[in-house]
Amino acid sequence: MSKARIVVDPQFTVAPVDRRLFGSFVEHMGRCVYTGIYEPEHPLADQDGFRKDVLALTGELGVSTIRYPGGNFVSNYRWEDGVGPKEQRPVRRDLAWRSIETNQFGIDEFVDWSRRAGVEPMVAVNLGTRGVAEAVDLLEYCNADAGTALADQRVANGHAEPHDVKLWCLGNEMDGPWQIGHKTAEEYGRLAQETGKAMKRLDPSIELVACGSSNSKMPTFGSWESTVLEHCYDVVDYISLHAYYEQHGDDVASYLASGVDMDRFIEAVAATADAVGARLQSRKRLRLSFDEWNVWFQGEFGGEDSLDWAVAPQIIENDFGVVDAVVVGGLLVSLLKHADRVGVACLAQLVNVIAPIRTEPGGRSWRQPIFAPFALTAEGAQGVVLQTAAEGPTIRTAEFGEIPTVDTVATWDQASGTTSVFAVNRSPEESVRLTIATQGLPAVRTATAVQMAVGGAGAAAGSDESAWSPRETAVELSDEGAAIELAPGSWTRVTLVA
Ligand code: AHR
């Protein structure tokens, strides 16, 4: 068995753990909203039609911030359709997903649902088919005190107090040719600047996210960020990143190493944003909003044109297995390592659509394997993120060349005396013995660990949670700190308490 060693020392602090790193995403897509979080006919629905079983699972997942209402959906959405008496709301055709939108769930329901779920709402405005005026109208509707027309409309709709939404996305994936109202970087940059300027004039307390590239393989990646930010650097607070990962052929090693791609993507966008900031002689350092990330079997999706105008159709309800959970755990390691730049991250999506939570209409709900690493990381990552100086074996992958076999990050919570180490072993074949040297930390008194390993459970785990639940794994305490065996293709959380 090969050996790796990391040093965990509070002197190597990256940044405080921002709870917004544990966000998720609810889009009007497939069954995420309808029969996902909202189903008035369900036996477990509350007085507002929110599924209580899904609310409970959302709480257990530990999500902090939820982005809404899209996604591609937002680029042809009229927010006004989703407010007011439900029987008067129009039924529309959503062009993003060729679906029928009943508008029975809109911004007021989403904010109510968010409060009930204990999460922060993050709202996107439509900069595809609409522009400055409609974005400012929505902001007034949500955040203004009573006394002007749109705020009074919110009050008349039963919400006397402002929704106080702090985090706003200026459109979605506007670089993508699939987007309704797709724009060039020049067009979008100008529109983002003008929309952002108007929105901040109305409510200076909000934070704004400009659209970065839809993914790092886009032909305009890099130049898109650069041009967009030349226009709107001063007005926005974040630039967005989106990435979805899947296994190609039988190349499981590259899939397990997806965090390498995420690391490079984050570092490239940060460098691009900093270059623009330098050119503009700005003192501001933009943060990154990784507001869509996950695993997704994109090769199985037939595309928007394969969809056929149904209400809440089943779209991309991927059944994930343990290997996907290990990848998600590895991506969370990458996000935490970059906690000094990434201020928001959203697992896309929350329910049914490539999601950790699944439901049956009128029936049960359950967790998918990707639920576990997310919930365990959200729970364990407290205090500050520590860089873990690491040494250990390397592995050759088809996609990324030679890379470290083990990737790690740690957090240290002084208040509780708890260190959490998150580790992924990207080798599908070899175990690695990981030594954790707890330099500069109080002596460890108890050590526990949970692990998910590709070899320990079937690849497609389905809804039988007992088949994939994380297993408790032995940790040895030593004078140096602790040591643990990382199984091939595994994700592990180690908890050390002083
Ligand atoms: O999450 C599914 C879709 O993926 C979103 O609507 C879009 O933003 C991205 O391309």
Side-chain angles (χ1 to χ4, degrees), residues 25 27 29 71-72 97 172-173 242 244 292 296 348-349 354:
F25 177 33
E27 177 168 4
M29 174 181 179
N72 297 347
W97 304 112
N172 176 71
E173 295 189 349
H242 291 179
Y244 293 99
E292 284 186 37
W296 173 2
Q349 299 186 3
I354 46 172

Side-chain angles (χ1 to χ4, degrees), residues 15-22 336 339 381-385 411-412:
V17 178
D18 193 326
R19 298 322 298 173
R20 283 179 171 172
L21 287 179
F22 304 107
L336 281 170
Q382 303 291 340
V384 293
V385 179
T411 60
W412 158 240

Side-chain angles (χ1 to χ4, degrees), residues 154-368:
R154 182 196 69 237
V155 175
N157 289 336
H159 292 81
E161 294 305 316
H163 290 329
D164 198 24
V165 177
K166 290 289 178 224
L167 205 47
W168 292 82
C169 302
L170 296 168
N172 176 71
E173 295 189 349
M174 297 310 307
D175 63 322
W178 57 86
Q179 205 69 221
I180 306 299
H182 165 224
K183 301 206 166 22
T184 65
E186 286 284 347
E187 289 166 346
Y188 172 70
R190 288 275 306 126
L191 183 56
Q193 160 64 22
E194 290 306 309
T195 308
K197 180 178 80 184
M199 290 176 77
K200 282 202 168 166
R201 191 164 294 174
L202 180 64
D203 183 351
S205 75
I206 60 171
E207 294 170 79
L208 294 173
V209 184
C211 291
S213 297
S214 303
N215 61 71
S216 61
K217 309 283 183 303
M218 294 297 288
T220 50
F221 174 54
S223 68
W224 170 273
E225 282 76 1
S226 199
T227 305
V228 165
L229 289 177
E230 292 279 353
H231 287 290
C232 65
Y233 193 91
D234 285 341
V235 83
V236 301
D237 304 280
Y238 297 85
I239 179 94
S240 75
L241 298 84
H242 291 179
Y244 293 99
Y245 296 94
E246 67 181 324
Q247 185 173 323
H248 299 289
D250 57 6
D251 185 8
V252 68
S254 298
Y255 185 40
L256 288 167
S258 298
V260 174
D261 181 80
M262 188 179 250
D263 290 346
R264 292 177 185 170
F265 189 12
I266 290 170
E267 286 155 26
V269 174
T272 307
D274 289 348
V276 177
R279 274 204 296 281
L280 298 175
Q281 303 194 353
S282 172
R283 292 201 179 153
K284 179 163 137 183
R285 199 161 176 249
L286 226 58
R287 300 195 83 193
L288 311 188
S289 173
F290 216 126
D291 46 42
E292 284 186 37
W293 70 270
N294 203 350
V295 289
W296 173 2
F297 309 148
Q298 280 186 288
E300 293 176 8
F301 178 47
E304 296 80 0
D305 291 331
S306 67
L307 306 168
D308 202 14
W309 304 116
V311 175
Q314 281 195 307
I315 311 179
I316 59 170
E317 297 192 10
N318 289 173
D319 292 324
F320 295 126
V322 171
V323 67
D324 309 302
V326 173
V327 172
V328 163
L331 295 171
L332 284 159
V333 169
S334 172
L335 289 168
L336 281 170
K337 283 193 302 186
H338 295 93
D340 55 336
R341 288 315 290 263
V342 182
V344 179
C346 303
L347 179 74
Q349 299 186 3
L350 182 70
V351 191
N352 290 327
V353 178
I354 46 172
I357 300 170
R358 292 281 293 277
T359 66
E360 280 169 358
R364 71 197 176 116
S365 53
W366 67 97
R367 303 165 193 81
Q368 292 227 70

Side-chain angles (χ1 to χ4, degrees), residues 48 83-85 89 108-109 112 141 150-163:
D48 291 316
V83 298
R89 297 185 190 179
D108 290 327
E109 287 80 18
D112 288 346
Y141 182 89
L150 289 157
D152 287 347
Q153 200 182 324
R154 182 196 69 237
V155 175
N157 289 336
H159 292 81
E161 294 305 316
H163 290 329

